Amino acid sequence: DAGVTQSPTHLIKTRGQQVTLRCSPKSGHDTVSWYQQALGQGPQFIFQYYEEEERQRGNFPDRFSGHQFPNYSSELNVNALLLGDSALYLCASSFEGAPQPQHFGDGTRLSIL
Amino acid sequence: ILNVEQSPQSLHVQEGDSTNFTCSFPSSNFYALHWYRWETAKSPEALFVMTLNGDEKKKGQISATLNTKEGYSYLYIKGSQPEDSATYLCAFRSGNTGKLIFGQGTTLQVKP
């Protein structure tokens, strides 16, 4: 039973470029959340997708957008990259319903030059 | 703004020592409190999801308690081992939202 998988593992971009990160949730999960983790901080919530809709959003600019597909996989898109977007991006999946842990992938390390 | 605070920020103990960390969170509109263990180069691993005031959870030598009225949770590790070395994160979930608000973590280093 595969857990949460994210791709790519590492990515290097330059300022102003655009990037797409991908996430496949754990089997049986229907909800995907994205987090940004900067060095020395805890993960910061970006947004959550359920039934292909953005259900909740954290304090991130519109440059950050996402999508959820019918198979529950998800993408995170970031436009007009800034140096400050350098971080580890984590995807977590869960099953909608009673409080359950979110299961995390290994993350995508994004470096902006 | 909802803040989740963890203390201490880092901890160095000897193998066999017992240790504990604190997570403070807002006492209003509580839904759940999550604990994760995050080892270097791995993904965060769920330890506990706690929902009821007074709840106590145990997994091996790790246990956690919850006080929702005063807004804190303790994580205890009895007889730490080098393999317990990791960053321990707590995350607060309010109301009926799916958003987790994480603390900055407590990094534990257990020396053999």
Side-chain angles (χ1 to χ4, degrees):
Chain A
D1 179 24
V4 178
T5 58
Q6 291 187 243
S7 63
T9 306
H10 295 89
L11 205 49
I12 298 174
K13 292 284 187 178
T14 57
R15 281 179 295 174
Q17 286 189 308
Q18 178 265 342
V19 69
T20 297
L21 310 182
R22 295 177 175 82
C23 173
S24 292
K26 182 178 168 67
S27 178
H29 286 182
D30 56 7
T31 303
V32 173
S33 303
W34 286 92
Y35 295 85
Q36 181 195 66
Q37 200 247 345
L39 207 59
Q41 297 182 22
Q44 301 290 312
F45 176 81
I46 303 174
F47 41 54
Q48 184 179 79
Y49 277 84
Y50 173 67
E51 291 188 338
E52 302 179 51
E53 297 280 333
E54 182 184 292
R55 181 160 67 173
Q56 193 168 10
R57 189 178 184 89
N59 189 26
F60 279 80
D62 292 344
R63 298 187 296 110
F64 289 76
S65 63
H67 191 78
Q68 186 179 34
F69 300 93
N71 67 352
Y72 308 117
S73 67
S74 177
E75 288 181 350
L76 164 65
N77 301 292
V78 187
N79 294 323
L81 286 166
L82 303 173
L83 291 177
D85 295 331
S86 295
L88 180 69
Y89 289 84
L90 291 164
C91 169
S93 72
S94 56
F95 181 72
E96 174 67 8
Q100 295 183 21
Q102 293 185 5
H103 293 255
F104 283 84
D106 290 339
T108 294
R109 173 72 61 186
L110 176 63
S111 299
I112 311 301
L113 303 180
Chain B
I1 297 177
L2 301 176
N3 280 330
V4 177
E5 300 287 339
Q6 290 188 247
S7 63
Q9 187 172 349
S10 64
L11 201 53
H12 292 78
V13 302
Q14 290 294 134
E15 182 176 355
D17 287 350
S18 294
T19 187
N20 65 85
F21 329 130
T22 304
C23 173
S24 300
F25 52 86
S27 55
S28 60
N29 207 19
F30 176 87
Y31 187 74
L33 193 282
H34 295 232
W35 280 101
Y36 287 88
R37 174 170 59 200
W38 196 356
E39 296 179 65
T40 303
K42 294 186 178 181
S43 56
E45 172 199 356
L47 290 174
F48 308 114
V49 180
M50 310 180 79
T51 57
L52 299 175
N53 185 45
D55 210 4
E56 291 189 29
K57 300 267 188 180
K58 187 174 168 65
K59 184 177 182 178
Q61 297 301 102
I62 303 177
S63 60
T65 61
L66 179 68
N67 184 323
T68 60
K69 295 181 188 291
E70 296 182 40
Y72 65 83
S73 176
Y74 294 137
L75 188 79
Y76 301 92
I77 302 179
K78 183 180 177 182
S80 304
Q81 300 297 309
E83 53 265 33
D84 293 324
S85 298
T87 295
Y88 291 82
L89 292 163
C90 69
F92 168 78
R93 184 176 166 183
S94 69
N96 195 22
T97 72
K99 172 182 178 179
L100 293 182
I101 302 170
F102 281 87
Q104 75 274 32
T106 293
T107 299
L108 173 67
Q109 186 72 36
V110 182
K111 299 176 184 176

